[in-house]
Amino acid sequence: MKATFDGSTIRTGREGRPLYEQSGYGRPEGDGLRLSPQEALYLLHRQKIEVPGYSFDTLFAEFSDQPTVMRSFLVYRDLRERGYVVQTGPHDFRVFRRGEKPGKGESLYLVRVLSERDPILFERLIEEVIASRNMRKQYILAVVDDEQELTYYEIKLQKLADASCTPPDLTPVDAMLTGKSAMVRTTADSSLEKAGFGKRLDPERLMLAPVELLYLMDRGTIRLIRGDAGMSFAEYLALASESDSELTLKHTVYTELRRHGFTPRTGYKFGHHFRVYCGTSVHSDLLVHAVEKEAAIPMSVISRSVRMAHSVKKKMLFGAVHSSGIQFVEFARIKL
């Protein structure tokens, strides 16, 4: 069937209405349909429509001034060929359940299309996930790499449940500042070690990392000694932050994880701030990285994080810190 292109929009006449009624293409407009660039290109590529004066190549060139048209078309085509009905909006695409279409079913996914070099803007991402959740849809990122391969990620905002085990009560102790860490003289059965704090230096001494020390000082469990005098929380934070600009962020996320009964330990070997134990298992359950809510992280960095977490059978969460609290954002690869 024939369609017309007026330089900005593709339209069909009355004969195009079955495309919408049977397969969910386009939007009804007058007696015919108005097609999005992705729909028109896909239908032209599949030889379901003709656009007089244009081939697939030349029509693609007409839309090439839109920088996202290539990757949007690739995602649209992939979803269609997986058996989904796809329409534009409210993000990039809304995707209906298989076998359903506009007017005869509900959309299941809201899809945002990115390239591998696009940044993840956490504030915007969180807003879009909340909007999707309010509409009872799953929020999906469709990422197109430089070789036109597609990867889909499901994004969830996780509300942390309390851990299944109760940590022991902590006995207040003194600690001696040693560099940016602290040393506590304590036996191997101390409440600190049972609660997952510190690393044993020898049978008599336990070393506390800066983020652990800040948490314990904030709770009043540790009194930090420097030389012959005590050291306040603010003084120690200023000292330790000289060599770790992310320490305040990490302390905020660490405190929230501890508040839920989890045991965070350094995640350095996995390339992240924390590996997190949620119960009594000897294996950690989560990888967590603290970020500012206003942070922008390249999608390529997110991809590496998710693959690492998947390879060691853990969930990947980013703790986005803002003035009203922390939003934990989970990224997970998904097969549609």
Side-chain angles (χ1 to χ4, degrees):
M1 64 185 68
K2 284 186 169 53
T4 60
F5 179 50
D6 63 7
S8 61
T9 306
I10 301 283
R11 292 183 173 87
T12 73
R14 185 192 304 260
E15 68 276 10
R17 288 302 286 263
L19 287 172
Y20 175 79
E21 294 164 356
Q22 296 173 14
S23 303
Y25 290 101
R27 300 292 178 94
E29 187 176 88
D31 291 335
L33 294 180
R34 174 170 47 84
L35 299 172
S36 71
Q38 297 85 1
E39 291 171 319
L41 289 168
Y42 180 73
L43 290 168
L44 187 58
H45 193 256
R46 294 289 302 274
Q47 299 181 342
K48 291 181 178 292
I49 63 171
E50 296 178 8
V51 182
Y54 293 92
S55 66
F56 174 81
D57 294 354
T58 57
L59 187 62
F60 214 133
E62 286 289 331
F63 289 125
S64 63
D65 60 338
Q66 302 176 28
T68 63
V69 70
M70 168 62 86
R71 63 182 186 239
S72 293
F73 168 71
L74 291 172
V75 172
Y76 181 89
R77 182 179 67 177
D78 185 68
L79 292 169
R80 275 287 181 178
E81 293 182 354
R82 290 175 183 270
Y84 292 104
V85 170
V86 186
Q87 290 208 320
T88 55
H91 299 318
D92 285 313
F93 299 120
R94 59 190 183 110
V95 180
F96 287 78
R97 299 175 189 274
R98 285 190 175 92
E100 299 184 356
K101 56 190 176 183
K104 296 183 179 178
E106 294 185 356
S107 54
L108 175 61
Y109 303 119
L110 297 182
V111 178
R112 171 68 72 196
V113 180
L114 299 176
S115 83
E116 67 170 80
R117 291 181 306 281
D118 284 336
I120 292 296
L121 306 174
F122 273 86
E123 188 166 22
R124 177 183 177 185
L125 180 72
I126 290 168
E127 289 173 354
E128 291 189 352
V129 175
I130 290 173
S132 299
R133 188 172 62 187
N134 290 341
M135 291 185 279
R136 299 182 181 179
K137 316 295 182 191
Q138 288 179 264
Y139 183 89
I140 303 295
L141 286 180
V143 182
V144 183
D145 69 21
D146 286 346
E147 295 183 350
Q148 317 306 328
E149 295 289 334
L150 309 185
T151 306
Y152 295 99
Y153 298 89
E154 183 179 15
I155 314 300
K156 295 180 179 178
L157 302 183
Q158 292 288 11
K159 184 176 181 180
L160 297 183
D162 290 339
S164 57
C165 56
T166 302
D169 293 332
L170 300 177
T171 303
V173 293
D174 289 347
M176 179 184 298
L177 184 67
T178 54
K180 302 297 172 64
S181 301
M183 182 171 61
V184 178
R185 294 186 66 91
T186 181
T187 58
D189 61 350
S190 70
S191 59
L192 282 172
E193 204 164 2
K194 288 179 180 178
F197 292 97
K199 184 74 173 179
R200 182 62 56 178
L201 180 65
D202 58 34
E204 297 179 352
R205 296 169 182 84
L206 188 70
M207 301 301 298
L208 296 174
V211 72
E212 296 175 315
L213 188 52
L214 283 170
Y215 173 78
L216 293 167
M217 291 177 70
D218 200 27
R219 292 193 65 205
T221 302
I222 290 287
R223 186 170 74 98
L224 185 60
I225 307 299
R226 184 185 195 184
D228 295 327
M231 194 173 191
S232 71
F233 177 92
E235 289 170 333
Y236 175 69
L237 177 59
L239 174 69
S241 295
E242 291 174 358
S243 56
D244 186 353
S245 61
E246 298 177 306
L247 186 56
T248 298
L249 269 180
K250 292 194 292 187
H251 167 62
T252 302
V253 172
Y254 183 95
T255 298
E256 182 68 8
L257 292 168
R258 279 285 182 181
R259 190 175 73 82
H260 287 277
F262 298 157
T263 304
R265 307 289 293 189
T266 178
Y268 170 76
K269 66 178 68 176
F270 302 111
H272 291 290
H273 290 144
F274 305 114
R275 69 188 196 276
V276 181
Y277 299 83
C278 302
T280 57
S281 172
V282 296
H283 299 292
S284 55
D285 303 278
L286 310 173
L287 294 180
V288 177
H289 200 83
V291 297
E292 295 279 6
K293 188 181 179 184
E294 297 79 15
I297 297 180
M299 188 61 224
S300 57
V301 173
I302 301 288
S303 175
R304 289 196 295 271
S305 299
V306 174
R307 184 167 290 277
M308 166 57 78
H310 178 77
S311 70
V312 293
K313 300 180 180 180
K314 306 181 194 309
K315 291 183 178 181
M316 184 67 234
L317 272 62
F318 289 83
V321 179
H322 53 105
S323 58
S324 58
I326 301 172
Q327 190 70 259
F328 287 95
V329 184
E330 179 185 356
F331 290 76
R333 291 182 64 173
I334 184 174
K335 292 183 178 180
L336 296 179

